[in-house]
Every structure is written in structure tokens, then in C-alpha cells.
Amino acid sequence: MKERIEQLTRELQEHNYNYYVLSKPTISDYEFDMLLKELHDLEKKYPQFADPNSPTKRVGGEITKSFETVFHKYPMLSLSNSYSIEEVEDFETRIKKLVDHDLEYVCELKYDGVAISLTYKHGELEKAVTRGDGIKGDNITTNVKTIKSIPLKLFGNDYPQEFEVRGEVFIPKEVFVQINKEREENQEQLFANPRNAASGTLKMQDSSVVAQRKLDCFLYSLNGENLPYSSHYENVLKSAQWGLKVPDYKRKFIAKCKNIAEIKEFIDYWDKERHKLEFDIDGVVIKINSYRQQQELGNTAKSPRWAIAYKFKAERVETILESISYQVGRTGAITPVANLKPVLLAGTVVKRASLHNADQIEKLDVRPGDTVYVEKGGEIIPKVLGVNFSKRPQNSVALEYISNCPECGSELIRVLGEAVHYCPNSDECPPQIKGKLEHFVSRKAMDIDGLGAETIELLFQNGLVKNIGDIYDLKKESLLSLDRMAEKSANNLLQGIEKSKTIPFERVLFALGIRHVGETVAKKLARYFKNIDSIIDSSLEELLSVEEIGEIIAKSVNAYFSDKRNLQLIEKLKNKGLTFALSSDQLADKTDKFKGLTFVISGVFSIFSRDEIKELIEKNGGKCTGSVSAKTSYLVAGEEMGPAKKEKAEKLGVKLIDENEFAAMLK
Ligand code: IVH
């Protein structure tokens, strides 16, 4: 079995590399999943052969309360910036004065993400640390292990026994758009740009959430005592053979340059082409290739003298703001949007731009008919930066922000301390009603089959549903009376509704659509309070004591459950049979972590009692037996354990663990 586990591990590593580093998969996703499942099952059955850096360890799951501080072996400096080619020329002149040999430059992309330092020891990823203050950073290894393009084990046998590689973790543009779309649907605060999203993600406590965020990474430099070459470019390219995802020279992500003309060519090329990349860059980095020359040049307090960053100017254009429209979200939040005369910006035609809120409009003093500056910086959604006042039409009048909802006419309200206006008419305002219904039935919430946006519109137009509770009053006869609703779809829909009653508590809580309560927050609340009544009765202080819940969320939860209409809705849903408490399995903290594993407990313990250990094993799906046999997976060994047991375990290759190791397995 050991051989099969090793073979699967190798094969899966290779496939991971083909897929995530080379972007050239050689097997289907399905085949990959099957191999991964086989390995997963084998590792569960034979944990003694499981590798801590196995490809199965990429899904996350470990929670880190606070990250350990680690000192960098080599300080992580920053780069001095330049904004014009003249400044790059000055850089060259400076260097030529300090070094008298021929110079070779390396031009690279400046990735707009989060710097990371990885240490590989004996070909295995040992730790991953953030830049921090440059001297010490956070140990975020558990989170980084979920990034599939970072190898946990290296290929080949000619890598140094210990070395450090640095790079940039980022979120590809497309993934970023998707994450923000989901956050918008969940009424969670949007990430301003992919860099913020990447840095927020890397610092999350729950690595399984990190795993879902699809982070990627480019590794751009090596440090160590026994690197194969004495120059930067050669080492970077060599390390690609070990499976590291380094910049692709074939795509011109990295190039050697002999002089300023070649450097300029590289910069100009990427200034034009950068918008076509699948990730953000904010400039080009120019480095001296030879390590010896790098050393000769040395560092200033903050940055190396042998490198400089050239930053691109954020592209900005002028266009006419034709009108402002106001969107109403499912929680009633009003978003002003600028409708622009279409204009080409950073490779796409822009017709709309964000205006954020009333304060922003007032600050910029934008008015319909104005010529405005629009920029697409790190952000994906373009934004209006300001007004070209010299082009303002003479008859222009200051814009008055709407005071009534554009959809239902209700007077808008503004919560003290918040910038956003809300329409309070949550029960009657059509986009709010439909938005809440759509959210409630969506896949990650109640997942009701046969109830998409179109059907909701149909039911709403015909007066059959006006709120979430009405869904559970739907009858077959009334459904059949609708156009476009045949017997089969009606049955389907009713079945889907029935099935939703078994959806677990945390998803019901998420489905309610409480402002700022996304999937993760709903889960944390459900786990902490265990049932809806405890949440309803909770105080602000108690809410604040829940992990990852801050003031804004706590206040929002409190406000939601202070509203009588919401309490009535919950009462109704309870009566209809929806799940408003954790199941007994969830309550008992039952997991299948130890499924298929057999334990023998022997000796005296100091942290746990024997009974506690037994209970924990059983709660987590494992089995306890009295004597060691070939079927035993682990012998949990305490003080004064019988020597016969120990000897037998050793003979059979059963793994011995102490109570600390046992506790670690439970984490
Ligand atoms: S070299 C001492 N190369 O830019 C030189 N940095 O301001 C350190 N960055 O913290 C880094 N792409 O996060 C280097 N190709 C690249 C880079 C790069 C992005 C970031 C990195 C660093 C910051 C420096």
C-alpha cells in the first residue's frame, strides 16, 4: 500500500503542476478527482504512510487563531519607484558609476499582489511567511498550502537542501470579479481590488475558506547559500524545473536586457499589453542580473540599489456623464451609478462607473452633462475621479440626491455613521422583495430547484409570493393556473420547496438575507448560538464575542431580530418545518475525521482522561479497541504504558502518538 500511496502522490503532484503551473492538463478534472479520492481513502486507512505534504492536504480546514511571528533570514526590502523613463536612465547612470564591469539587466513584471517568502527544506515546503515589516512576518503556511500552484514537494534532485523563494500571491482578475459578485449578492463589503482581496484572504483564520478563493502565485527570486547559478535570471529559470511557478520567458514575463533601449522596449510593450493579462500588474521591475554586482551595489535602508520599479500610470480618460441612475439592492441599499458616453479604457468599453454614495457625489460635485475623468486603476469597476470643470455647461445646476426610492417612492433613510441611503420599505419595494426571494432560493442558501429569477418574477407578478414565507404556502392548483407552468414544473417546484426544509440551520440563517451576514458569518453564528432563539435573545456584546464578528455585523444582526416583521416571518418558517437549530450530530460536534480509523488507548494521561480520549475518538467517527492488532491505526500512548503493547505496536508498524499529537489531530 505504501507504494501505491507514493505513486498516487507523485502522479497527483505531476498533474497539479501540469494544470496550475503549466496550464496544460493531461487528464480530465474527473480523472484527477478520482485519483485524489483514491489517495484520500488510502491515507485514511493507512495514516502511517500519509505525507504531511500530500496533494490531499490542499483543501484546507485548519484554523489559525493568531499567526506566529517569524523572522526573515534575509530581510524583505521594498523597491524604489520611478514613474518615467528618465528616472530609469538616472538609475542606470548611478549604477554605471558604482560598478565597472559590463551590466546585464533583467526586466520583470511587477505583480500587484502580496509578497510572500517560501522556505523549502529537503525539497519540501517548510514555511510560508508574509513580508510583514520586512524584518519579521506572519507564518501563514496553512493558508499558503491551499494555493495549488505552489508545490508542497519539489521535482528532481538538484535543488539546494535549503533555500528561500520569494514571489507574489494574487487573485486572477476573473476570480476577483466572481468573488465580489458573490459578496455583493450576500451584501458583504466588496473588496476594492484584487490586491486587497488577496491580502485579506491570506490572513483568514479558516484555511478552508482560503482554499475556495483560488489564489495564484508567481515566484520571482531565490535566496540561499547553494543556489546553482551566480545570477538571478538563471536561477529563476532553473527553479522552474523543480516545479516552481516562475514567470514565463516565452510570454515575455521576464527578459534579459543589455541596455536602456531594450528596457524601454520591455516597458512600452507591457504598458500596452498589460490589460490583456489574466492578472493585475502595476509596473515593471528592473534588476541587475549578477549576484556579485548586486552585492557590490548593496542596499539602502529600505531598498536595494540594484533594482528599481517602473510604475505605469493608471489609465484615465475623459467622457461625458449622461445621467445618474439609482439601483436598489435586496436590502434596500441605494447605489448611484454614472451612465457614461461609452469610452475605451484599459482595453474595454466603459459605459457605467461607480459613484459609491451621496457623499462621494457631493465631494466630487458631479452633475449630469459634466465631462468627467474616469479611471480604471487596481479596481475592476471603473470609477469617476473628478470633473473637468472647464468643460461644465453654463446652465448646469448642482445635483440633488434622491430623497425617495426610485422603485417604490418611499422616503429614503440614512443610518447615522453610514454613507449609504436605504429604502426602508423592505416588504413592499419590488426589487427588494424579488432580491430577497432570489437570494433565499439560491444554490448556497435554500437551493430550491425550479425556482429561478424568472419563476420568481412570474409568481410575484401574479401576486402568489410577496415574501419568503409565501413560498411555503404555494399550492399546486394556484401554480397550474399560471401561464408557462405545466404539471411537471409545478411538481418539481413543490418538491424542491419540500426538500428545502432539511437544509441545515446555518444555510437557513444565511438565506434570511440579513445585511452583512454572508455564508461564513452565518456559519459562525450558527455554531456559536446553536439555535435561532439564542440568536434572537443575544445582546450586542455577546454577538461581538463571536469570532470574526465586528460591530457592523453585530448591529445589523441585532437590528434584524428587533424587527417584529422578521420575528413573525421566522415563526411562520418554523411552523412550516424549516431547520432553525443545529442537528444533534452538529451539536455533539460529531465529525468523520477519524472514520475508518481504529485506536488503542494505553497508559495514564495528563491533559485528557482515558474516557475523554475514547469519547473524542468516537465522536469523530473512529473506533476504540482493547488490544493492538494489524488493524490498529494508532496507539495513543500515555505514561506507564504496558511494555508488551508497545512492543507489539512497534512490531506491527502501528504508529504511536502521545496525547499532544492526538490533540493536534483533532484540530
Ligand atoms: S523584487 C528587494 N520582483 O513589489 C526587491 N518584487 O516594492 C524585492 N513585486 O514587496 C522584490 N513583482 O511584493 C520583485 N518581479 C518582482 C515583483 C516584486 C511585484 C512587489 C513585491 C515587493 C514590492 C516591492
Side-chain angles (χ1 to χ4, degrees):
M1 253 337 113
K2 189 161 179 262
E3 287 77 50
R4 181 67 186 149
I5 290 179
E6 282 170 3
Q7 185 196 4
L8 281 168
T9 305
R10 264 196 314 275
E11 269 181 39
L12 283 161
Q13 266 167 24
E14 190 90 32
H15 290 308
N16 245 329
Y17 176 74
N18 291 338
Y19 189 99
Y20 291 103
V21 180
L22 302 180
S23 303
K24 280 189 195 128
T26 54
I27 59 168
S28 69
D29 289 359
Y30 176 75
E31 286 167 306
F32 182 90
D33 289 344
M34 286 299 109
L35 291 176
L36 193 67
K37 186 172 179 312
E38 188 187 344
L39 179 60
H40 196 259
D41 292 348
L42 283 176
E43 285 177 344
K44 267 197 158 169
K45 223 162 147 192
Y46 305 97
Q48 66 271 34
F49 302 136
D51 187 326
N53 275 337
S54 152
T56 56
K57 296 282 156 6
R58 296 243 192 216
V59 289
E62 252 183 81
I63 311 274
T64 318
K65 275 267 175 200
S66 68
F67 299 104
E68 174 204 10
T69 303
V70 181
F71 280 83
H72 295 296
K73 188 163 178 191
Y74 310 90
M76 286 181 86
L77 303 175
S78 59
L79 290 165
S80 54
N81 287 327
S82 66
Y83 298 89
S84 66
I85 199 74
E86 289 75 36
E87 285 178 80
V88 180
E89 282 167 358
D90 291 346
F91 163 76
E92 197 210 19
T93 320
R94 250 189 339 262
I95 286 186
K96 278 194 167 154
K97 274 192 207 144
L98 296 167
V99 202
D100 43 29
H101 298 279
D102 281 350
L103 284 167
E104 192 171 48
Y105 303 93
V106 181
C107 285
E108 294 170 22
L109 303 184
K110 188 169 189 308
Y111 306 99
D112 195 10
V114 183
I116 182 94
S117 148
L118 309 174
T119 303
Y120 284 90
K121 232 182 200 167
H122 310 299
E124 306 227 5
L125 177 66
E126 189 205 37
K127 61 174 186 251
V129 184
T130 61
R131 178 168 181 273
D133 61 4
I135 304 295
K136 55 188 190 314
D138 289 335
N139 183 342
I140 52 163
T141 314
T142 42
N143 285 346
V144 165
K145 278 190 176 176
T146 68
I147 304 175
K148 309 277 202 331
S149 50
I150 293 183
L152 305 181
K153 276 168 183 291
L154 300 179
F155 295 140
N157 52 15
D158 57 350
Y159 41 76
Q161 281 312 294
E162 181 173 347
F163 69 100
E164 188 207 337
V165 55
R166 291 189 180 167
E168 200 86 351
V169 172
F170 60 90
I171 288 188
K173 293 182 198 169
E174 212 175 284
V175 179
F176 170 75
V177 173
Q178 190 57 37
I179 292 176
N180 257 358
K181 203 173 132 221
E182 276 173 25
R183 289 176 80 85
E184 193 168 9
E185 280 164 12
N186 297 345
Q187 300 274 308
E188 289 170 302
Q189 186 149 22
L190 300 191
F191 286 119
N193 51 49
R195 177 170 23 86
N196 286 5
S199 106
T201 304
L202 281 178
K203 298 248 176 76
M204 289 178 82
Q205 297 180 343
D206 186 345
S207 59
S208 59
V209 183
V210 182
Q212 289 158 17
R213 290 269 174 92
K214 300 202 176 122
L215 295 165
D216 203 342
C217 182
F218 271 117
L219 300 168
Y220 51 64
S221 76
L222 282 82
N223 281 308
E225 263 122 61
N226 298 303
L227 299 178
Y229 297 97
S230 58
S231 50
H232 166 66
Y233 182 86
E234 284 65 28
N235 277 330
V236 168
L237 259 58
K238 171 73 193 171
S239 70
Q241 292 173 6
W242 307 329
L244 298 176
K245 183 164 178 174
V246 302
D248 186 350
Y249 70 93
K250 289 192 208 119
R251 286 183 74 186
K252 284 207 210 173
F253 289 176
I254 180 167
K256 283 211 266 194
C257 294
K258 285 196 293 293
N259 50 42
I260 206 88
E262 287 182 9
I263 294 174
K264 191 171 175 319
E265 201 181 309
F266 188 91
I267 292 177
D268 289 344
Y269 176 81
W270 281 112
D271 200 1
K272 278 197 218 75
E273 295 294 310
R274 65 185 154 123
H275 309 298
K276 296 185 192 149
L277 287 170
E278 57 278 22
F279 47 83
D280 276 334
I281 61 170
D282 60 346
V284 159
V285 185
I286 303 131
K287 301 175 182 171
I288 300 295
N289 195 24
S290 145
Y291 287 156
R292 197 178 48 74
Q293 289 174 341
Q294 285 186 6
Q295 248 170 10
E296 252 174 76
L297 288 161
N299 308 321
T300 68
K302 265 176 46 205
S303 49
R305 284 196 197 86
W306 46 265
I308 191 166
Y310 172 92
K311 300 263 263 191
F312 294 131
K313 282 178 219 48
E315 228 184 294
R316 129 191 327 206
V317 287
E318 267 190 30
T319 187
I320 293 174
L321 185 137
E322 293 181 327
S323 63
I324 293 175
S325 45
Y326 299 87
Q327 288 173 347
V328 187
R330 86 171 138 80
T331 60
I334 308 286
T335 315
V337 178
N339 299 308
L340 306 169
K341 182 164 179 248
V343 62
L344 194 67
L345 173 62
T348 47
V349 178
V350 173
K351 294 187 203 121
R352 288 145 77 77
S354 155
L355 279 169
H356 301 293
N357 51 50
D359 287 349
Q360 179 75 0
I361 293 181
E362 198 183 313
K363 196 172 119 208
L364 299 175
D365 183 23
V366 277
R367 308 173 182 185
D370 269 344
T371 298
V372 291
Y373 303 113
V374 182
E375 183 181 278
K376 213 172 182 183
E379 294 81 19
I380 294 286
I381 312 152
K383 64 177 180 199
V384 175
L385 284 178
V387 176
N388 182 344
F389 290 107
S390 70
K391 293 193 182 165
R392 171 166 281 176
Q394 290 205 324
N395 56 358
S396 146
V397 277
L399 183 90
E400 226 175 285
Y401 201 77
I402 49 167
S403 51
N404 292 77
C405 174
E407 300 278 347
C408 73
S410 305
E411 200 172 324
L412 301 181
I413 53 162
R414 190 171 176 178
V415 182
L416 202 69
E418 282 192 36
V420 181
H421 284 73
Y422 287 98
C423 165
N425 188 17
S426 55
D427 291 348
E428 308 277 340
C429 181
Q432 292 192 58
I433 300 174
K434 285 185 272 180
K436 282 196 179 69
L437 289 165
E438 279 172 29
H439 170 75
F440 184 78
V441 304
S442 64
R443 204 172 41 82
K444 290 185 169 171
M446 302 305 279
D447 193 20
I448 302 185
D449 261 355
L451 199 47
E454 228 172 280
T455 314
I456 287 179
E457 181 70 42
L458 186 69
L459 295 172
F460 179 72
Q461 290 304 340
N462 286 277
L464 289 183
V465 287
K466 273 198 70 193
N467 66 46
I468 293 169
D470 293 344
I471 295 177
Y472 294 89
D473 290 334
L474 285 172
K475 298 272 174 320
K476 193 159 165 186
E477 306 81 69
S478 44
L479 287 176
L480 287 176
S481 72
L482 298 173
D483 285 351
R484 289 183 285 156
M485 183 67 81
E487 172 103 16
K488 196 167 162 212
S489 352
N491 282 340
N492 238 345
L493 177 54
L494 290 171
Q495 252 173 33
I497 293 171
E498 201 47 40
K499 217 174 85 191
S500 75
K501 295 179 183 170
T502 60
I503 293 286
F505 176 40
E506 61 239 41
R507 279 172 58 187
V508 179
L509 194 57
F510 168 60
L512 291 177
I514 305 168
R515 196 177 294 157
H516 306 303
V517 177
E519 258 181 295
T520 317
V521 171
K523 211 180 259 175
K524 304 267 175 208
L525 286 171
R527 294 265 151 188
Y528 185 90
F529 289 102
K530 303 193 170 54
N531 60 55
I532 195 86
D533 293 326
S534 314
I535 304 185
I536 294 175
D537 294 338
S538 66
S539 65
L540 207 59
E541 290 69 42
E542 205 175 344
L543 284 164
L544 280 167
S545 67
V546 183
E547 187 192 342
E548 285 186 37
I549 293 191
E551 201 152 327
I552 293 183
I553 302 177
K555 278 191 177 152
S556 163
V557 172
N558 213 300
Y560 181 91
F561 292 110
S562 308
D563 189 329
K564 246 190 6 234
R565 291 169 300 179
N566 294 331
L567 297 178
Q568 276 162 2
L569 169 68
I570 287 163
E571 208 43 46
K572 170 164 182 181
L573 296 177
K574 257 191 196 167
N575 291 334
K576 291 286 178 185
L578 273 70
T579 314
F580 279 104
L582 294 183
S583 68
S584 51
D585 272 5
Q586 285 175 314
L587 269 177
D589 258 345
K590 280 194 179 160
T591 74
D592 55 4
K593 223 175 255 172
F594 293 157
K595 202 170 149 199
L597 299 183
T598 307
F599 293 76
V600 173
I601 312 168
S602 179
V604 197
F605 300 91
S606 45
I607 314 175
F608 302 104
S609 71
R610 278 173 74 113
D611 283 344
E612 274 170 346
I613 295 180
K614 182 159 184 273
E615 199 186 317
L616 284 167
I617 291 170
E618 284 165 357
K619 260 189 186 173
N620 289 289
K623 239 173 56 187
C624 288
T625 58
S627 60
V628 177
S629 76
K631 286 201 190 122
T632 310
S633 323
Y634 290 98
L635 173 59
V636 191
E639 299 284 318
E640 297 162 41
M641 180 184 57
K645 268 203 178 115
K646 187 168 178 211
E647 201 175 302
K648 189 157 180 203
E650 276 164 1
K651 208 170 107 204
L652 291 169
V654 172
K655 198 161 176 203
L656 254 76
I657 52 172
D658 64 20
E659 57 184 328
N660 291 313
E661 287 168 298
F662 175 74
M665 284 170 75
L666 276 172
K667 259 208 211 141

